Amino acid sequence: MNIVTASSQIAYCLTEGTEIHDEGQGIVVVSPFFQVAISPLGPGLKQVFSGLAQSPCSMRWINATIDAAHEEGMLMTCYRYLSSLMRHQMCHISVISESSGEPLATLYPTSASFQHKWIHVQPEQLYRLSRFAYMHRGEDEECWLESPLSHALLTVQSKLVADLLYQLATARTPLELARMTGEGSLDTVADVLTLLLMGNFAAATTDDAQLAEEHDVALRQWEFHDLLFHSRSRGGRHSNPLGGTYRFLYELPAQPVIKPAPWPVTVQLPQPDMERIQRTDPTLSLAMEKRASIRTYNEEHPITKEQISEFLYRVAHIKDVYTYGESGELTRRPYPGGGASYELECYLTVDRCSGLAFGLYWYDPLKHTLSLVREPDNDTERLLIDAGQSMGEDSRPQVLITLAARFQRVSWKYQSIAYALILKDAGVFYATMYLVASAMNLAPCAIGAGDSDLFASLIGSDYYQETSVGEFALGSR
Ligand SMILES: Cc1cc2nc3c(=O)[nH]c(=O)nc-3n(C[C@H](O)[C@H](O)[C@H](O)COP(=O)(O)O)c2cc1C
């Protein structure tokens, strides 16, 4: 049975901001982003598109209109044109309640790769929600169903559809779903399911009651949060603004270029002799060849305050502060940083170092000083133990460097990519630390994970404003 085409509840609607202009022989469809010209059009097709310009058009009405115009073979053409409008995000599809006339759910394409394909729902076939589908509240009052597997989003506009989504956590047939949801007739269930299938939010199960995505070797190895982060922070399958949009320019102040730290300066670090260093340093190729992760230290001669000073200066000191357009104040540093935002702060948990008292310090890259954030205690001990465990060795870092991001320094300017940029910046910082440590004959090792909640409480910051995004162990060889 082909439930879809029997339905009068599925309707095509023009998306807000899109207009259809009659151009005699054909039409021109205009949205804020695209323009699509369709010409020539027979009377049936013309009637369909002028209908669409006025109000939602049900599939049944579209089919009947083309049929009545005796335009043989034009039905496929009509849906091809509608596909083009969908791919240009000029048109969307709703399931509209026959009793109330209100939409139950609406599918909005979000990219040009959207597949406008009708999959015929079978009443006795099992269907299930993808493990990548999730619902959240949008900026307005609507509930959105989204998925990193989808090139569309679906607004959930009724309790009936919310119930169906809940039931589809388990594989169910449309017949079962119609019985369970009570008020939902089989036709309505099938209509909603067709939108879920078209949007790739749900699929028919295979013979073992699993979804194809569960057999897909690549997809099985993607965790939900990783794939969502990847798809939302790259272009391709969403229509969100992406890049340096300065969305808070006139609304919120930018974070200051230098962290206004609450801690007084504790240690004036010696200025390294950069001329001597430039004369005596190994070449870049030698430093790169020698570079290795080293997890054991020379405990007889632990790292010194002078070495830490030279290391921090060479990796992270501020060379210059300047002003650049809407970005405000920016800095120049030895390592590159996305948008020159330089949101990463460098904290040192000093455990064994000659010349520096134990404790947690913040590095001021402008003054080249250290400020004591807190004396050693159980929590700083926890940081060192965790780092030691991550390195899989008995020894723990002589000095643990924690990179913390002042997130809003980046998210004030960048949309969609802010956190991805921060992690890339952390990678750049790691590479710079590795190379400088290699040139200085120190023992460096990056660490892949840490406790950001613990770190925020240690430095007394708001987790959403500043906390750790990376850790790095350093010591003597
Ligand atoms: C992002 C990143 C995370 C890492 N995390 C850890 C870690 O948690 N524990 C560890 O012992 N080594 C860690 N490493 C070091 C790698 O294991 C090491 O770079 C890799 O094995 C290659 O060895 P090499 O650095 O000596 O050339 C990390 C390296 C990077 C770049």
Side-chain angles (χ1 to χ4, degrees), residues 65-189:
T65 306
I66 301 286
D67 197 38
H70 302 292
E71 290 177 359
E72 298 280 299
M74 277 299 131
L75 200 58
M76 288 304 291
T77 309
C78 178
Y79 283 101
R80 246 200 352 267
Y81 290 151
L82 285 170
S83 293
S84 170
L85 299 192
M86 302 270 303
R87 281 198 309 277
H88 288 91
Q89 295 160 52
M90 294 167 149
C91 180
H92 54 267
I93 309 174
S94 287
V95 175
I96 296 177
S97 159
E98 260 171 355
S99 52
S100 68
E102 295 295 323
L104 302 173
T106 301
L107 186 72
Y108 292 92
T110 53
S111 94
S113 306
F114 173 76
Q115 299 274 317
H116 178 220
K117 267 198 197 136
W118 290 105
I119 300 169
H120 296 156
V121 168
Q122 308 296 331
E124 295 186 32
Q125 161 71 50
L126 286 165
Y127 296 93
R128 193 177 181 193
L129 203 62
S130 158
R131 81 180 163 90
F132 293 100
Y134 66 99
M135 196 163 81
H136 75 119
R137 206 209 77 198
E139 293 290 320
D140 46 27
E141 289 183 354
E142 281 180 330
C143 265
W144 292 354
L145 183 71
E146 297 192 45
S147 163
L149 302 187
S150 181
H151 290 271
L153 64 83
L154 183 122
T155 51
V156 178
Q157 293 158 295
S158 58
K159 189 171 162 304
L160 171 73
V161 175
D163 278 354
L164 281 176
L165 294 174
Y166 168 71
Q167 297 294 353
L168 281 167
T170 309
R172 311 240 186 236
T173 66
L175 282 172
E176 279 177 302
L177 289 167
R179 266 199 305 275
M180 284 169 157
T181 47
E183 48 191 304
S185 71
L186 181 59
D187 278 352
T188 308
V189 166

Side-chain angles (χ1 to χ4, degrees), residues 291-293 295 390-392 430 434 445-449:
R291 188 215 55 80
S293 297
R295 301 167 180 85
S390 291
M391 289 195 292
Y430 276 10
Y434 262 117
C445 185
I447 294 171

Side-chain angles (χ1 to χ4, degrees), residues 322-351:
Y322 63 103
T323 305
Y324 185 78
E326 286 161 336
S327 294
E329 278 197 310
L330 299 174
T331 56
R332 279 185 243 280
R333 310 199 189 195
Y335 63 97
S341 304
Y342 291 108
E343 70 287 355
L344 296 177
E345 299 295 327
C346 196
Y347 292 84
L348 276 68
T349 309
V350 175
D351 191 52

